[in-house]
Amino acid sequence: MTAKKTDFSFMDHFFKPRSVVIIGASNTHGNLGAPMCHSLKRLGYQGDIFVVNRKGETVHDCPGFSSLADIPVDVDLAVILAPASVTSSIMRQCGEKKIASVIIETAGFSEVGGEGQRLQEEMDIEARKYHIRYIGPNCIGSMDAHSRFTSFFGVRPGTFDELFDCPGKISVITQSGGVGTLILRSLMTDVVGFSKIISIGNKADIDESDMLQYLIQDPLTNVICMYLENISNGKKMMRAAAGSSKPVLIYKAGATKQGAHAAASHTAGMSNNDDVFDAACRQAGMIRLQSVTELYSMPKIFVTMPLLQGKSIVVLTNTGAFGTIFTDLLVHAGLVPVTLSANMQLVVKKAGMVFNAANPIDLGPGISGDPFLDIFKLLLGSGEVDGFVLAINIWQQSIVDALISMAALCQEYGKPAAIYTPNAIERVLHIRKNYKIPAFETPEEAVRSLVVSHRFFMYQLKKKR
Amino acid sequence: MTAKKTDFSFMDHFFKPRSVVIIGASNTHGNLGAPMCHSLKRLGYQGDIFVVNRKGETVHDCPGFSSLADIPVDVDLAVILAPASVTSSIMRQCGEKKIASVIIETAGFSEVGGEGQRLQEEMDIEARKYHIRYIGPNCIGSMDAHSRFTSFFGVRPGTFDELFDCPGKISVITQSGGVGTLILRSLMTDVVGFSKIISIGNKADIDESDMLQYLIQDPLTNVICMYLENISNGKKMMRAAAGSSKPVLIYKAGATKQGAHAAASHTAGMSNNDDVFDAACRQAGMIRLQSVTELYSMPKIFVTMPLLQGKSIVVLTNTGAFGTIFTDLLVHAGLVPVTLSANMQLVVKKAGMVFNAANPIDLGPGISGDPFLDIFKLLLGSGEVDGFVLAINIWQQSIVDALISMAALCQEYGKPAAIYTPNAIERVLHIRKNYKIPAFETPEEAVRSLVVSHRFFMYQLKKKR
């Protein structure tokens, strides 16, 4: 099963429009569109930015008009913040202005039922009549770190400056603005940056599968993360995912009957059968995540490390207890804390002072310096090990330096290491941010990263066959 | 099954000796005892501190002697840092000096086998001959935040000042120095302080059960955390735990065959059957933890919140997705995301603007202020709810204030709330540290805290019957 190549290039409008109009932005106190204008100006976005409001007033240097029709140039994208009751009329005006792409951030549609449902249907009729493709309603917009575009509402200008200054290759599709924001904020204390993020809300037109196909073809995306509360069309999604050569990581809320019921009031979705979804993920080669936190903790294993091609793992530690703890975790995760050959143990012992040369290998406090890196190279070069857990307590700068060298060696030898430093969380954040060491926050996260890396490797192998 | 009251008051020597001698502390560069002297002076420890070294030199103002016999006063505790080969001779000198309590931090005993095993046996003969009770060998010592005592080695003076300045009621028994240090450092970014911590190493004399009994009777301990790699005597431990009216939280590494094998080289223990251990925990009313991180994340639910007495939970959120996510997690954890009665839903709706008044209750962005606290009080006062998840995104100061008020209301009404703020980790640490809000770092941790709270409540109920 492979996806047919469809032209999704119109979706570029949601991330890098040559011109955008923000409908409902004004200088009224508390207006939600004004910070959006402010952010775009602050980021130095290169496209034209217009606003439409009752008075036709200019907002943060973005020229204002009282009607869409008055804008003197063609517009790629309209962002609608106006009340639900006027949205279908605005959609018609967009059509008349020949705007082909719209993001409707307004809430109060099918997720509230009754009248909202009717408003959504009305709006949809207008959209179809004018061949408009739209995102939403009930979403918080899109961002692109490379083009420096944002249509997020409710974000104080400057909040995500760091992320825009270091664009990355992680893209995010989310059915919840709150989860999207959590992911972005969490990447700010991590080693990997985002590329594109889009909140799809009620997904009345463009759904997660359309967006997935677009991102699979996007040259600036290497890893795709999805937060979903329901699946619009399971088969469509499976077709899209099956064609992906990029990791697709999904966390789906509403896994239980009660959770699905809660989700329905949030983003207007039908509940889905969780077992069916689980099987579908495996069949289409998508990685199902176990926690919403994995949406931001897991991507780094794909960006900073080679894939795990086998199950034989060695634990290197300078804190004996974590050798034991990780051995348990590896076994429980279905990985193999491999026993090194007698010969390899001898070689390791010769290379440097070790407390224990079997596996886990306890290097004691003297874990830095050349002898230690020599041991790591020997293990990388041996045919006995597919990947590593580095459970290394950072108690002096030389250990930070050693970890930086080790991460580079992993790339050189094509074998991954999951790094966990048994230090308090503040220290972990410090070394991750300041030294770009891809450290995980818990032992469980570290082992899980090896599992998802290996799972993706196996999916790819299957797809190639 | 109840523990008989044994006199463990001699164990006070390990935490607040009237006088202590550090054997092996000197001014030689790299000496491990000198920082210990420095720390004790820095903390202003009130007892006498002596050192013994070859030259009889004073270390950091602690009077030095070349022989134990020369110390002119009685000594409560000896801390031994000298090499394993001389330990049994030192033990004899301790006996002659009538020192009844000793901590042996030196490694190289039974955990290395052969010659080490022999040295441990020799030392043990001397200890028994002189009725000396000892901790270790192969441990990193003890600390007491209330008495401001430390015998930890390898710790830079000043590292734990914050913890000594805010003593708490969490006590820790650990078979690994690395895990002990991780717990202490992690409590530094949390809302609860420690009382006593002891690293028991090879536990050749005093074992985890002795220490557990001591801490159960200790008025300055309310929660007991244990990190173990093996159990010295299962029945003894069960007897001790069964008599506890305090939560006893245990993480045991070496749960798998491979992990147990790794543990043996670390702390010289026999492997134990994991299923048997699991059953023993339930029978004796100990809470078995699922991750080493729970040793520092879980205690706060006991210190800052009333116990969870039933399973009916309401989720309050200002970020719809987390209503769904927590509903799933509660169901998976065996708790009940209770459906509020129609009447209660009406009452909630009347009290303030809510997006969804069933459960999960979505309060939208306006989650602060009086109407919101009114809703919380109504729910606390109703007979319909046993506890809460507060999944509240902090995006302005008034929400911080609301959370502080809510934590106080939980105490007033005797019902707990597990707090999770879907903000990036840095913000979570900030509000926890600066506003003493007992926030968990992941949704899973928050739900787990309710599970352990309820489990402890049920254990206590059973013990009382």
Side-chain angles (χ1 to χ4, degrees), chain A residues 176 178 182 185 189 227 229 253-256 258-259 262-263 265-266 291 319-321 324 327-328 331 356 360 422-424 426 444, chain B residues 176 178 182 185 189 227 229 253-256 258-259 262-263 265-266 291 319-321 324 327-328 331 356 360 422-424 426 444:
Chain A
S176 150
L182 175 61
R185 284 200 176 269
T189 60
Y227 170 79
E229 299 193 344
T256 61
Q258 297 91 323
S265 73
H266 178 225
S291 164
T319 310
T324 306
T327 299
D328 282 344
V331 171
N356 180 11
N423 300 98
E426 284 185 326
E444 287 75 10
Chain B
S176 150
L182 174 62
R185 284 199 176 268
T189 60
Y227 170 80
E229 299 193 345
T256 60
Q258 297 91 324
S265 74
H266 178 226
S291 164
T319 309
T324 305
T327 300
D328 282 343
V331 172
N356 180 12
N423 300 98
E426 283 186 327
E444 287 75 11

Short mmCIF file of all heavy atoms in Angstrom, two decimals, chain A residues 176 178 182 185 189 227 229 253-256 258-259 262-263 265-266 291 319-321 324 327-328 331 356 360 422-424 426 444, chain B residues 176 178 182 185 189 227 229 253-256 258-259 262-263 265-266 291 319-321 324 327-328 331 356 360 422-424 426 444:
data_model
loop_
_atom_site.label_atom_id
_atom_site.label_comp_id
_atom_site.label_asym_id
_atom_site.label_seq_id
_atom_site.Cartn_x
_atom_site.Cartn_y
_atom_site.Cartn_z
N SER A 176 -5.23 20.06 19.27
CA SER A 176 -5.41 20.89 20.46
C SER A 176 -4.36 21.99 20.48
O SER A 176 -3.16 21.71 20.36
CB SER A 176 -5.26 20.03 21.73
OG SER A 176 -4.74 20.80 22.80
N GLY A 178 -3.62 23.77 23.08
CA GLY A 178 -2.89 23.64 24.34
C GLY A 178 -1.73 22.67 24.23
O GLY A 178 -0.63 22.94 24.71
N LEU A 182 2.29 23.43 24.40
CA LEU A 182 3.16 22.66 25.31
C LEU A 182 4.35 22.08 24.56
O LEU A 182 5.49 22.11 25.05
CB LEU A 182 2.35 21.54 25.98
CG LEU A 182 3.16 20.58 26.86
CD1 LEU A 182 3.82 21.31 28.02
CD2 LEU A 182 2.28 19.44 27.37
N ARG A 185 6.81 24.96 23.69
CA ARG A 185 7.53 25.45 24.88
C ARG A 185 8.54 24.41 25.37
O ARG A 185 9.59 24.76 25.88
CB ARG A 185 6.54 25.77 26.00
CG ARG A 185 5.79 27.08 25.78
CD ARG A 185 5.22 27.58 27.10
NE ARG A 185 4.58 28.87 26.94
CZ ARG A 185 5.22 30.03 27.11
NH1 ARG A 185 6.50 30.06 27.43
NH2 ARG A 185 4.56 31.16 26.96
N THR A 189 13.44 23.94 25.69
CA THR A 189 14.44 23.46 26.65
C THR A 189 15.08 22.16 26.13
O THR A 189 15.60 21.38 26.92
CB THR A 189 13.83 23.20 28.04
OG1 THR A 189 12.81 22.21 27.91
CG2 THR A 189 13.23 24.46 28.62
N TYR A 227 -0.85 15.07 17.50
CA TYR A 227 -1.75 14.89 18.64
C TYR A 227 -3.17 14.85 18.09
O TYR A 227 -3.64 15.81 17.49
CB TYR A 227 -1.63 16.02 19.65
CG TYR A 227 -2.74 15.93 20.69
CD1 TYR A 227 -2.64 15.02 21.73
CD2 TYR A 227 -3.91 16.68 20.57
CE1 TYR A 227 -3.67 14.87 22.65
CE2 TYR A 227 -4.94 16.54 21.49
CZ TYR A 227 -4.82 15.63 22.53
OH TYR A 227 -5.85 15.48 23.42
N GLU A 229 -7.43 13.56 18.74
CA GLU A 229 -8.46 13.05 19.65
C GLU A 229 -9.42 12.12 18.91
O GLU A 229 -10.23 11.43 19.51
CB GLU A 229 -9.20 14.24 20.28
CG GLU A 229 -8.23 15.10 21.09
CD GLU A 229 -8.90 16.11 21.99
OE1 GLU A 229 -10.11 16.39 21.80
OE2 GLU A 229 -8.21 16.63 22.89
N ALA A 253 -5.46 10.82 22.16
CA ALA A 253 -6.25 10.85 23.38
C ALA A 253 -7.65 10.32 23.06
O ALA A 253 -8.02 10.19 21.89
CB ALA A 253 -6.34 12.26 23.93
N GLY A 254 -8.41 10.03 24.10
CA GLY A 254 -9.72 9.44 23.87
C GLY A 254 -9.59 7.95 23.62
O GLY A 254 -10.37 7.36 22.87
N ALA A 255 -8.60 7.33 24.26
CA ALA A 255 -8.37 5.90 24.07
C ALA A 255 -9.42 5.08 24.80
O ALA A 255 -9.79 3.99 24.36
CB ALA A 255 -6.98 5.52 24.56
N THR A 256 -9.93 5.60 25.92
CA THR A 256 -10.97 4.88 26.66
C THR A 256 -12.34 5.42 26.25
O THR A 256 -12.45 6.50 25.67
CB THR A 256 -10.79 5.10 28.17
OG1 THR A 256 -10.90 6.50 28.45
CG2 THR A 256 -9.42 4.61 28.64
N GLN A 258 -14.60 6.60 28.17
CA GLN A 258 -14.83 7.85 28.89
C GLN A 258 -14.02 9.00 28.30
O GLN A 258 -14.49 10.12 28.20
CB GLN A 258 -14.48 7.70 30.38
CG GLN A 258 -15.34 6.67 31.12
CD GLN A 258 -14.72 5.27 31.11
OE1 GLN A 258 -14.12 4.84 30.11
NE2 GLN A 258 -14.89 4.55 32.21
N GLY A 259 -12.79 8.70 27.91
CA GLY A 259 -11.94 9.71 27.31
C GLY A 259 -12.49 10.17 25.96
O GLY A 259 -12.49 11.36 25.64
N ALA A 262 -15.22 12.55 26.50
CA ALA A 262 -14.70 13.87 26.86
C ALA A 262 -14.20 14.61 25.63
O ALA A 262 -14.41 15.81 25.46
CB ALA A 262 -13.59 13.74 27.90
N ALA A 263 -13.54 13.87 24.74
CA ALA A 263 -12.97 14.49 23.54
C ALA A 263 -14.07 15.07 22.65
O ALA A 263 -13.89 16.11 22.02
CB ALA A 263 -12.16 13.46 22.75
N SER A 265 -16.68 16.64 23.30
CA SER A 265 -17.10 18.00 23.65
C SER A 265 -15.99 19.00 23.39
O SER A 265 -16.18 20.20 23.46
CB SER A 265 -17.52 18.06 25.12
OG SER A 265 -16.38 18.00 25.94
N HIS A 266 -14.82 18.48 23.10
CA HIS A 266 -13.67 19.37 22.92
C HIS A 266 -13.45 19.70 21.46
O HIS A 266 -13.33 20.85 21.08
CB HIS A 266 -12.42 18.73 23.55
CG HIS A 266 -11.17 19.53 23.38
ND1 HIS A 266 -9.97 18.98 23.00
CD2 HIS A 266 -10.94 20.85 23.52
CE1 HIS A 266 -9.06 19.93 22.92
NE2 HIS A 266 -9.61 21.06 23.23
N SER A 291 2.56 8.53 25.89
CA SER A 291 2.25 9.70 26.72
C SER A 291 2.33 10.94 25.85
O SER A 291 3.10 11.00 24.89
CB SER A 291 3.27 9.81 27.86
OG SER A 291 3.21 11.11 28.43
N THR A 319 27.55 5.10 37.83
CA THR A 319 26.74 5.01 39.04
C THR A 319 26.09 3.64 39.04
O THR A 319 25.05 3.44 38.43
CB THR A 319 25.64 6.10 39.03
OG1 THR A 319 26.25 7.35 38.73
CG2 THR A 319 24.94 6.20 40.36
N GLY A 320 26.74 2.69 39.72
CA GLY A 320 26.37 1.28 39.66
C GLY A 320 24.87 1.01 39.62
O GLY A 320 24.39 0.20 38.84
N ALA A 321 24.11 1.70 40.47
CA ALA A 321 22.68 1.44 40.57
C ALA A 321 21.99 1.58 39.21
O ALA A 321 21.08 0.83 38.89
CB ALA A 321 22.03 2.38 41.57
N THR A 324 21.98 -1.44 37.03
CA THR A 324 20.92 -2.39 37.39
C THR A 324 19.55 -1.90 36.90
O THR A 324 18.79 -2.64 36.30
CB THR A 324 20.89 -2.57 38.93
OG1 THR A 324 22.19 -2.94 39.36
CG2 THR A 324 19.89 -3.62 39.32
N THR A 327 19.21 -2.20 33.19
CA THR A 327 19.12 -3.60 32.75
C THR A 327 17.68 -4.08 32.87
O THR A 327 17.12 -4.66 31.94
CB THR A 327 20.09 -4.47 33.58
OG1 THR A 327 21.42 -4.00 33.38
CG2 THR A 327 20.01 -5.93 33.15
N ASP A 328 17.06 -3.79 34.03
CA ASP A 328 15.64 -4.14 34.20
C ASP A 328 14.78 -3.50 33.11
O ASP A 328 13.94 -4.16 32.50
CB ASP A 328 15.12 -3.61 35.56
CG ASP A 328 15.53 -4.48 36.74
OD1 ASP A 328 15.95 -5.63 36.52
OD2 ASP A 328 15.43 -4.01 37.88
N VAL A 331 15.13 -5.08 29.61
CA VAL A 331 14.46 -6.38 29.51
C VAL A 331 12.95 -6.18 29.39
O VAL A 331 12.29 -6.75 28.52
CB VAL A 331 14.79 -7.26 30.74
CG1 VAL A 331 13.93 -8.52 30.76
CG2 VAL A 331 16.28 -7.63 30.74
N ASN A 356 33.39 -2.90 36.41
CA ASN A 356 32.71 -4.09 35.94
C ASN A 356 32.74 -4.04 34.43
O ASN A 356 32.30 -3.07 33.83
CB ASN A 356 31.26 -4.08 36.46
CG ASN A 356 30.48 -5.29 36.01
OD1 ASN A 356 31.06 -6.26 35.49
ND2 ASN A 356 29.18 -5.26 36.18
N PRO A 360 25.82 -4.46 32.57
CA PRO A 360 26.27 -3.07 32.48
C PRO A 360 27.75 -2.88 32.82
O PRO A 360 28.26 -3.54 33.72
CB PRO A 360 25.40 -2.36 33.51
CG PRO A 360 24.98 -3.41 34.47
CD PRO A 360 24.82 -4.64 33.64
N PRO A 422 21.84 10.89 35.67
CA PRO A 422 21.11 10.83 36.94
C PRO A 422 21.39 12.05 37.81
O PRO A 422 21.78 11.92 38.97
CB PRO A 422 21.59 9.54 37.59
CG PRO A 422 22.76 9.07 36.82
CD PRO A 422 22.94 9.91 35.60
N ASN A 423 21.15 13.21 37.24
CA ASN A 423 21.27 14.47 37.97
C ASN A 423 19.87 15.04 38.10
O ASN A 423 18.96 14.62 37.40
CB ASN A 423 22.14 15.44 37.17
CG ASN A 423 23.55 14.88 36.94
OD1 ASN A 423 23.85 14.34 35.89
ND2 ASN A 423 24.39 15.01 37.94
N ALA A 424 19.70 16.02 38.97
CA ALA A 424 18.38 16.63 39.10
C ALA A 424 18.02 17.32 37.79
O ALA A 424 18.89 17.66 36.98
CB ALA A 424 18.36 17.62 40.25
N GLU A 426 17.12 20.18 36.82
CA GLU A 426 17.72 21.47 36.44
C GLU A 426 19.06 21.29 35.74
O GLU A 426 19.37 22.00 34.78
CB GLU A 426 17.88 22.38 37.68
CG GLU A 426 16.56 22.99 38.13
CD GLU A 426 16.74 23.98 39.27
OE1 GLU A 426 17.63 23.76 40.10
OE2 GLU A 426 15.98 24.95 39.32
N GLU A 444 13.19 5.83 32.02
CA GLU A 444 12.15 5.24 31.17
C GLU A 444 12.12 5.89 29.79
O GLU A 444 11.98 5.22 28.77
CB GLU A 444 10.77 5.37 31.84
CG GLU A 444 10.54 4.44 33.03
CD GLU A 444 11.26 4.87 34.31
OE1 GLU A 444 11.80 6.00 34.35
OE2 GLU A 444 11.30 4.07 35.26
N SER B 176 22.14 2.63 47.31
CA SER B 176 23.04 3.24 46.32
C SER B 176 23.26 4.70 46.65
O SER B 176 22.29 5.45 46.82
CB SER B 176 22.42 3.12 44.92
OG SER B 176 22.82 4.20 44.10
N GLY B 178 24.49 6.88 44.60
CA GLY B 178 24.08 7.66 43.43
C GLY B 178 22.60 7.97 43.45
O GLY B 178 22.18 9.09 43.16
N LEU B 182 20.73 11.60 43.88
CA LEU B 182 19.71 12.03 42.91
C LEU B 182 18.42 12.45 43.63
O LEU B 182 17.81 13.47 43.29
CB LEU B 182 19.39 10.89 41.93
CG LEU B 182 18.25 11.15 40.95
CD1 LEU B 182 18.56 12.34 40.04
CD2 LEU B 182 17.95 9.92 40.10
N ARG B 185 19.07 15.89 45.37
CA ARG B 185 19.14 16.98 44.40
C ARG B 185 17.77 17.27 43.79
O ARG B 185 17.45 18.41 43.49
CB ARG B 185 20.12 16.64 43.28
CG ARG B 185 21.58 16.76 43.71
CD ARG B 185 22.47 16.89 42.47
NE ARG B 185 23.85 17.11 42.84
CZ ARG B 185 24.40 18.32 42.98
NH1 ARG B 185 23.69 19.41 42.78
NH2 ARG B 185 25.67 18.43 43.31
N THR B 189 14.44 20.91 43.92
CA THR B 189 13.55 21.62 43.00
C THR B 189 12.10 21.25 43.28
O THR B 189 11.25 21.37 42.41
CB THR B 189 13.88 21.30 41.53
OG1 THR B 189 13.72 19.89 41.33
CG2 THR B 189 15.30 21.69 41.17
N TYR B 227 15.36 2.75 48.40
CA TYR B 227 15.89 2.19 47.16
C TYR B 227 16.68 0.95 47.53
O TYR B 227 17.64 1.01 48.29
CB TYR B 227 16.82 3.17 46.43
CG TYR B 227 17.54 2.48 45.30
CD1 TYR B 227 16.89 2.26 44.09
CD2 TYR B 227 18.83 1.99 45.44
CE1 TYR B 227 17.52 1.57 43.05
CE2 TYR B 227 19.47 1.30 44.41
CZ TYR B 227 18.81 1.10 43.22
OH TYR B 227 19.42 0.41 42.20
N GLU B 229 18.34 -3.01 46.18
CA GLU B 229 18.70 -3.91 45.08
C GLU B 229 18.49 -5.36 45.48
O GLU B 229 18.48 -6.25 44.65
CB GLU B 229 20.14 -3.65 44.64
CG GLU B 229 20.31 -2.22 44.15
CD GLU B 229 21.60 -1.94 43.42
OE1 GLU B 229 22.53 -2.75 43.51
OE2 GLU B 229 21.66 -0.89 42.74
N ALA B 253 15.38 -2.30 42.45
CA ALA B 253 16.02 -2.64 41.18
C ALA B 253 16.43 -4.10 41.23
O ALA B 253 16.43 -4.71 42.29
CB ALA B 253 17.23 -1.75 40.94
N GLY B 254 16.77 -4.64 40.07
CA GLY B 254 17.10 -6.05 40.01
C GLY B 254 15.84 -6.89 39.94
O GLY B 254 15.77 -7.99 40.45
N ALA B 255 14.81 -6.34 39.29
CA ALA B 255 13.53 -7.04 39.18
C ALA B 255 13.61 -8.18 38.18
O ALA B 255 12.94 -9.20 38.33
CB ALA B 255 12.43 -6.06 38.78
N THR B 256 14.44 -8.02 37.16
CA THR B 256 14.61 -9.10 36.18
C THR B 256 15.83 -9.94 36.54
O THR B 256 16.67 -9.51 37.33
CB THR B 256 14.83 -8.50 34.77
OG1 THR B 256 16.02 -7.69 34.81
CG2 THR B 256 13.66 -7.62 34.36
N GLN B 258 18.34 -10.59 34.70
CA GLN B 258 19.55 -9.90 34.25
C GLN B 258 19.88 -8.72 35.17
O GLN B 258 21.04 -8.46 35.46
CB GLN B 258 19.38 -9.39 32.81
CG GLN B 258 19.17 -10.48 31.77
CD GLN B 258 17.70 -10.81 31.53
OE1 GLN B 258 16.88 -10.78 32.47
NE2 GLN B 258 17.36 -11.13 30.31
N GLY B 259 18.83 -8.01 35.61
CA GLY B 259 19.05 -6.87 36.51
C GLY B 259 19.60 -7.33 37.85
O GLY B 259 20.49 -6.71 38.42
N ALA B 262 23.20 -7.97 37.57
CA ALA B 262 23.96 -6.72 37.56
C ALA B 262 24.08 -6.16 38.98
O ALA B 262 25.13 -5.66 39.38
CB ALA B 262 23.29 -5.70 36.64
N ALA B 263 23.01 -6.26 39.74
CA ALA B 263 23.01 -5.73 41.11
C ALA B 263 24.04 -6.44 41.98
O ALA B 263 24.68 -5.82 42.83
CB ALA B 263 21.61 -5.86 41.72
N SER B 265 26.95 -7.45 41.43
CA SER B 265 28.31 -6.92 41.35
C SER B 265 28.39 -5.51 41.94
O SER B 265 29.44 -4.96 42.12
CB SER B 265 28.78 -6.88 39.90
OG SER B 265 28.13 -5.84 39.21
N HIS B 266 27.23 -4.94 42.23
CA HIS B 266 27.21 -3.57 42.73
C HIS B 266 27.16 -3.53 44.25
O HIS B 266 27.94 -2.85 44.88
CB HIS B 266 26.01 -2.83 42.10
CG HIS B 266 25.85 -1.42 42.58
ND1 HIS B 266 24.65 -0.89 42.95
CD2 HIS B 266 26.76 -0.44 42.75
CE1 HIS B 266 24.83 0.36 43.34
NE2 HIS B 266 26.09 0.66 43.23
N SER B 291 9.07 3.45 39.19
CA SER B 291 10.26 4.06 38.59
C SER B 291 11.10 4.66 39.71
O SER B 291 10.58 5.10 40.73
CB SER B 291 9.86 5.17 37.62
OG SER B 291 10.96 6.01 37.33
N THR B 319 -7.65 23.65 29.57
CA THR B 319 -7.08 23.23 28.28
C THR B 319 -7.76 21.93 27.91
O THR B 319 -7.34 20.86 28.35
CB THR B 319 -5.55 23.01 28.41
OG1 THR B 319 -4.97 24.15 29.03
CG2 THR B 319 -4.91 22.79 27.07
N GLY B 320 -8.82 22.03 27.12
CA GLY B 320 -9.69 20.90 26.83
C GLY B 320 -8.99 19.57 26.64
O GLY B 320 -9.43 18.54 27.17
N ALA B 321 -7.89 19.56 25.89
CA ALA B 321 -7.21 18.30 25.58
C ALA B 321 -6.83 17.55 26.85
O ALA B 321 -6.91 16.32 26.90
CB ALA B 321 -5.96 18.57 24.75
N THR B 324 -9.43 15.29 28.31
CA THR B 324 -9.48 13.99 27.64
C THR B 324 -8.31 13.11 28.06
O THR B 324 -8.48 11.93 28.41
CB THR B 324 -9.44 14.20 26.11
OG1 THR B 324 -10.49 15.09 25.74
CG2 THR B 324 -9.60 12.88 25.38
N THR B 327 -8.75 11.84 31.56
CA THR B 327 -9.83 10.86 31.66
C THR B 327 -9.31 9.47 31.27
O THR B 327 -9.53 8.49 31.98
CB THR B 327 -11.01 11.28 30.77
OG1 THR B 327 -11.47 12.56 31.22
CG2 THR B 327 -12.16 10.28 30.87
N ASP B 328 -8.58 9.41 30.16
CA ASP B 328 -7.95 8.14 29.76
C ASP B 328 -7.05 7.59 30.87
O ASP B 328 -7.12 6.42 31.23
CB ASP B 328 -7.08 8.33 28.52
CG ASP B 328 -7.88 8.41 27.22
OD1 ASP B 328 -9.05 8.01 27.22
OD2 ASP B 328 -7.31 8.88 26.21
N VAL B 331 -8.88 6.19 33.95
CA VAL B 331 -9.49 4.88 33.68
C VAL B 331 -8.42 3.79 33.68
O VAL B 331 -8.56 2.75 34.32
CB VAL B 331 -10.25 4.90 32.33
CG1 VAL B 331 -10.71 3.49 31.94
CG2 VAL B 331 -11.45 5.85 32.41
N ASN B 356 -17.64 23.26 29.82
CA ASN B 356 -18.19 21.92 29.94
C ASN B 356 -18.34 21.64 31.42
O ASN B 356 -17.38 21.72 32.17
CB ASN B 356 -17.24 20.90 29.29
CG ASN B 356 -17.78 19.49 29.38
OD1 ASN B 356 -18.95 19.28 29.72
ND2 ASN B 356 -16.94 18.53 29.09
N PRO B 360 -14.65 15.57 32.36
CA PRO B 360 -13.84 16.71 32.81
C PRO B 360 -14.56 18.06 32.67
O PRO B 360 -15.31 18.26 31.73
CB PRO B 360 -12.62 16.66 31.88
CG PRO B 360 -13.09 15.94 30.67
CD PRO B 360 -14.06 14.92 31.19
N PRO B 422 0.15 22.09 32.31
CA PRO B 422 0.70 21.75 30.98
C PRO B 422 1.58 22.87 30.43
O PRO B 422 1.35 23.37 29.33
CB PRO B 422 -0.55 21.53 30.11
CG PRO B 422 -1.71 21.98 30.89
CD PRO B 422 -1.27 22.37 32.27
N ASN B 423 2.57 23.24 31.22
CA ASN B 423 3.56 24.22 30.79
C ASN B 423 4.89 23.49 30.63
O ASN B 423 5.03 22.38 31.13
CB ASN B 423 3.70 25.31 31.86
CG ASN B 423 2.39 26.03 32.12
OD1 ASN B 423 1.67 25.71 33.07
ND2 ASN B 423 2.07 26.99 31.29
N ALA B 424 5.84 24.13 29.99
CA ALA B 424 7.14 23.47 29.86
C ALA B 424 7.76 23.31 31.25
O ALA B 424 7.41 24.01 32.20
CB ALA B 424 8.06 24.27 28.95
N GLU B 426 10.46 24.05 32.72
CA GLU B 426 11.07 25.18 33.42
C GLU B 426 10.02 25.98 34.22
O GLU B 426 10.28 26.43 35.33
CB GLU B 426 11.79 26.11 32.44
CG GLU B 426 13.14 25.54 31.99
CD GLU B 426 13.94 26.50 31.13
OE1 GLU B 426 13.30 27.27 30.36
OE2 GLU B 426 15.16 26.49 31.21
N GLU B 444 1.11 11.55 33.78
CA GLU B 444 1.19 10.20 34.36
C GLU B 444 1.57 10.27 35.84
O GLU B 444 1.02 9.54 36.67
CB GLU B 444 2.22 9.35 33.59
CG GLU B 444 1.77 8.90 32.21
CD GLU B 444 1.80 10.00 31.16
OE1 GLU B 444 2.37 11.09 31.43
OE2 GLU B 444 1.26 9.79 30.06
#
